[in-house]
Each structure stands twice: as C-alpha cells, then as structure tokens.
Amino acid sequence: DISPDPNLVSFACDFVGVEKLLNQHLLVEATTHQSCLHKPVPSYQRLEWVGDAVLCLAAREWLFRRAEKLPVSKLVVLETTLVCNESLAYIGFTKGVHRFIDHRNMALPGRFQSYQLDLEMGRGLWSTDPPKVIPDVVEALIGAVHVDSGLHNGQKAALCVIEPLLQSLSHLLTNEFNNLTGLLHPKQNLYEMTGGIVSVRVYKEDVFRRLGFPSPLWNFGSRSSGGVGYVGVVRCKQILLAAAMEPSKVAAINVVCELTVQILKETPSIISKLHDMLSILAE
C-alpha cells in the first residue's frame, strides 16, 4: 500500500507549512530511500532535485530583497549557509525528519545515533558530519510542495523550513553584522575573507603524516584512534596555515576553515601579508 501514513501527512504538512497536499502520495515518494528496491514508488531523488532548485531560488530572493543590499560575494556565502547539507540536516533532524524515512540501509540507524550524539555534545553546526539522507529528504519534501502546488507555494514551503536560520541571520544582519562569522559556512566564508588566495584540502591521517607536511601555523584536534581520522588543511601556496583533525572529511574541512577564519578575524594583517607575499612571487 503506497497510501501515506496519517502521521507522515501531519508531520510533513507542519514541517513545510501547508494545510494539505492535493497529491499526498508525493509524501511517500519524498521519504522513500533508494535502498527500498521493491517498493512500488520511486525514491526521493527526483523530488530532491526539484526541491534543491526551489530552495536555492527562495533563499536567493530572500537575500536579494534584504535592505542591506549586500554585494554578490557576501550573498554567495549567505546562500551557502542557508542551503548547505549541514544546515538542512540540523533543521531536519531536530524536527524529526529522520523518523519518517523509509529505508533498508542497515547503516543509517547508527549514523542517526552518531549525529545525535554529536549534537548533544555541543559540537555545533560545522563540526558534525550529518547523514546526507536527512537534507536530501528535506529538499524532497520542499520539491513535493512545488510539484503539488506550484512555484509560489514551493518557495513559501522552502522559507518555512529554513525559518529558524532566517530569523538568526536577519537579527545578525540588522543588529550584529560583525558577529556573523559563527553562523556562516566556514569554507565559503574563508574564501570570501581571503579573496580566494588559500586552498583547502583534506587527507587521511596516515597520508598526511606520510607526506611529511611541515608543522602548521595553527593546529586543532588530536591524533585519532588508530590513525584513521582525516586532516583538513588550509594553505597559501607552500605555507601550511592551519590543520585540524576530525573523524570525518566534512568535519575536518569545516573545522579547519572555521579555525582559520577565527585567527584571521583576530589578526587581519595576516591576509595583507599573504597578498604581499604572492605579489612578490609573481614578479
């Protein structure tokens, strides 16, 4: 039976801020993982593809119409913050999206539990590696509204979903513009702050040590158990600026970028010195 469970209908409508969907079977599709091979409905992937576009357009329009009239470089960073997997996963998980995902993947319950523990430990938005299925289903639910009720309602649903982030961002833009750093996506924020003169890479811990990297200017994290962690690095040419070790690739990249942003924010003269160095090398 592909009829949606009444609990799913109630949850989904509340999550995306609509009274009802004309075609409620879309909710079954939006919450069906690709591991359900014999289920008589497709997986959420098509609706996710639609929802991703609807969400990006809604976020861009919201940012474009802000009174601050921000430059494109800032708009790109803010858009990434609003629509990235980390943000959507946090919103989806705290609202309970994962409880309605139909899957046959034996690894997902463990991933959900691990993510919950990370959040309970206060690791923050950028120091976690959420299961990608959560933001995928969030976008699929937005896509379901678009397919069911059109672009206008789809965009309203998208803004409803990310409303917690919009409220925080609106407050900071209006009252505390200089305190945006902790909310912004670290990697995009770092690129915008430095003018793109740094590069960000991630290595397996054993590879990082085998390559013989010099000691970074700043380091964060400790040696992982068994040497199976990941090391995120930020470099400017051959200068290794920072390194951070985390259990996952995503967390390693985000943490090292956030570390570098905080240091550069406290000592902005470093950026101008790096630019001067690059100018000399270019001569």
Side-chain angles (χ1 to χ4, degrees):
D1 183 10
I2 61 172
S3 297
D5 183 279
N7 292 325
L8 168 60
V9 175
S10 176
F11 167 82
C13 289
D14 181 66
F15 181 70
V16 296
V18 300
E19 290 188 9
K20 63 178 181 179
L21 269 72
L22 298 176
N23 182 4
Q24 294 184 351
H25 291 88
L26 289 170
L27 299 178
V28 179
E29 181 177 338
T31 53
T32 297
H33 189 258
Q34 53 266 39
S35 60
C36 298
L37 299 178
H38 302 295
K39 194 172 180 179
V41 293
S43 75
Y44 58 69
Q45 291 174 313
R46 282 166 52 86
L47 289 176
E48 175 210 346
W49 178 71
V50 172
D52 176 74
V54 175
L55 174 61
C56 288
L57 181 58
R60 288 189 178 194
E61 183 167 357
W62 186 87
L63 289 167
F64 181 82
R65 296 186 182 281
R66 291 286 305 178
E68 292 82 10
K69 305 301 180 186
L70 299 170
V72 171
S73 59
K74 291 289 186 184
L75 294 174
V76 170
V77 176
L78 294 173
E79 179 198 0
T80 301
T81 300
L82 292 173
V83 305
C84 68
N85 284 340
E86 293 91 341
S87 296
L88 297 182
Y90 179 81
I91 291 173
F93 191 84
T94 55
K95 293 290 184 67
V97 165
H98 57 292
R99 295 186 290 111
F100 295 93
I101 299 174
D102 188 9
H103 67 87
R104 305 294 183 270
N105 187 323
M106 300 296 291
L108 280 182
R111 292 293 313 281
F112 293 153
Q113 185 177 28
S114 177
Y115 182 53
Q116 181 175 355
L117 289 174
D118 282 344
L119 295 178
E120 291 175 351
M121 291 171 59
R123 286 181 58 81
L125 191 64
W126 308 121
S127 301
T128 60
D129 184 16
K132 189 175 180 297
V133 63
I134 302 174
D136 286 352
V137 170
V138 168
E139 291 180 333
L141 289 169
I142 294 171
V145 178
H146 171 86
V147 172
D148 183 79
S149 308
L151 176 62
H152 177 69
N153 288 325
Q155 288 199 44
K156 286 178 61 178
L159 294 179
C160 176
V161 168
I162 61 173
E163 178 62 23
L165 277 177
L166 296 180
Q167 289 182 358
S168 297
L169 185 56
S170 183
H171 173 77
L172 290 173
L173 287 173
T174 303
N175 304 300
E176 303 177 50
F177 190 83
N178 292 328
N179 292 329
L180 274 171
T181 300
L183 182 65
L184 300 178
H185 192 282
K187 187 175 179 180
Q188 289 282 34
N189 195 24
L190 176 62
Y191 283 153
E192 196 274 334
M193 176 183 285
T194 60
I197 64 171
V198 299
S199 61
V200 181
R201 294 284 302 275
V202 64
Y203 300 89
K204 286 187 176 180
E205 180 187 351
D206 58 338
V207 174
F208 176 80
R209 299 185 185 284
R210 191 166 63 247
L211 289 174
F213 277 97
S215 298
L217 299 184
W218 312 298
N219 190 30
F220 183 80
S222 58
R223 185 178 180 87
S224 64
S225 175
V228 294
Y230 292 90
V231 181
V233 301
V234 174
R235 290 191 296 182
C236 180
K237 291 298 185 180
Q238 300 306 311
I239 299 177
L240 180 58
L241 298 175
M245 188 176 298
E246 289 289 334
S248 73
K249 292 181 180 180
V250 172
I253 290 174
N254 285 340
V255 169
V256 74
C257 289
E258 183 64 21
L259 169 67
T260 310
V261 165
Q262 293 297 337
I263 295 294
L264 296 180
K265 187 179 178 183
E266 293 175 8
T267 316
S269 61
I270 294 174
I271 299 176
S272 60
K273 291 178 180 178
L274 291 174
H275 278 282
D276 291 343
M277 178 198 72
L278 292 177
S279 297
I280 294 173
L281 293 175
E283 293 177 355

